[in-house]
Amino acid sequence: SLVCEEITVAVDVSFENAAFNGPVSFDGARFAEQASTVDENIIFNHATFHNIASFRHTSFYHTSFQDVTFHDTAVFEHATANGTIRLDGATFHADTDFDELRCEKDISFSDAVFHGEASFRGVSVIGGADVLADDFSLVNTRFTARATFEQGTFGFTNAEGAEFNTCVSFERSTF
C-alpha cells in the first residue's frame, strides 16, 4: 500500500504510467501551486490503480489523471481543486465518489467511462475565466451504472455525446 496522507507537495510530481497494486491513500494531501514548465503540477496520466484509491480532503492545483484506470473504488470526497483537473479518458471499473468536490477552475471527464455507480452529490464547479471553455466537461463520457449529480452547482456544462445508460439524477442542482 501507499500512504501519503496529509503530505504537502511543493514541487511538480509525476506518477505517469505508474501501477499501484495495493491500496493508495492521499487523504488530506496538499498539492501546492507551482511555477511549472508543464501544464499540470501533479501527473497521474496512464496510471493504473488496482485497489482502492482515496483522495479524500485532498487539495489539488493543476492535476492530470488522463487515461487512468481505476479497477477498484475511487474516492475524491470533499477534495478541493484550485486549478484545472483532467480525467479525460479515465476508466472507472468500480464505484466512484466525488461527493462535495469543490473546483474553482475546470474539471473534465471527456471520453471517460464509469462502469460502477458514480456519485457527484453536492459538487461545486465554478469554472475558469474563459467563458467559451467548458467548466464541467462530460463530452463523450459514458455511464453504465447509476450517476447522481444531486444538489450540485455547475458552471458551463458540456455533456455533448455523453451516454447515460441507467438512472441519472440532477435533482436540486443549479446550472
Side-chain angles (χ1 to χ4, degrees), residues 7-100:
I7 63 169
T8 298
V9 178
V11 296
D12 295 341
V13 176
S14 176
F15 293 99
E16 192 159 4
N17 295 308
F20 299 96
N21 296 313
V24 174
S25 177
F26 282 93
D27 292 352
R30 182 176 172 272
F31 297 106
E33 178 181 1
Q34 302 298 309
S36 179
T37 57
V38 296
D39 291 335
E40 288 82 19
N41 300 110
I42 307 300
I43 300 170
F44 287 93
N45 296 346
H46 305 283
T48 302
F49 294 87
H50 292 282
N51 209 307
I52 188 168
S54 183
F55 296 88
R56 275 186 187 94
H57 298 279
T58 298
S59 177
F60 295 102
Y61 197 66
H62 293 299
T63 306
S64 182
F65 288 90
Q66 293 185 80
D67 299 307
V68 165
T69 301
F70 293 94
H71 288 286
D72 202 337
T73 304
V75 181
F76 291 83
E77 183 180 29
H78 293 280
T80 58
N82 294 314
T84 299
I85 305 296
R86 299 200 179 286
L87 289 114
D88 301 331
T91 301
F92 300 90
H93 288 284
D95 294 348
T96 57
D97 181 351
F98 288 92
D99 291 353
E100 303 295 329

Side-chain angles (χ1 to χ4, degrees), residues 94-152:
D95 294 348
T96 57
D97 181 351
F98 288 92
D99 291 353
E100 303 295 329
L101 172 73
R102 300 282 180 253
C103 293
E104 296 295 320
K105 299 284 185 187
D106 305 333
I107 187 164
S108 178
F109 293 92
S110 293
D111 300 304
V113 179
F114 292 84
H115 293 289
E117 290 191 10
S119 183
F120 294 84
R121 284 182 182 88
V123 165
S124 175
V125 181
I126 295 168
D130 185 351
V131 295
L132 298 177
D134 303 342
D135 298 331
F136 184 53
S137 178
L138 297 173
V139 172
N140 298 320
T141 301
R142 188 163 39 113
F143 295 90
T144 63
R146 180 176 171 78
T148 304
F149 298 87
E150 296 170 356
Q151 298 176 329

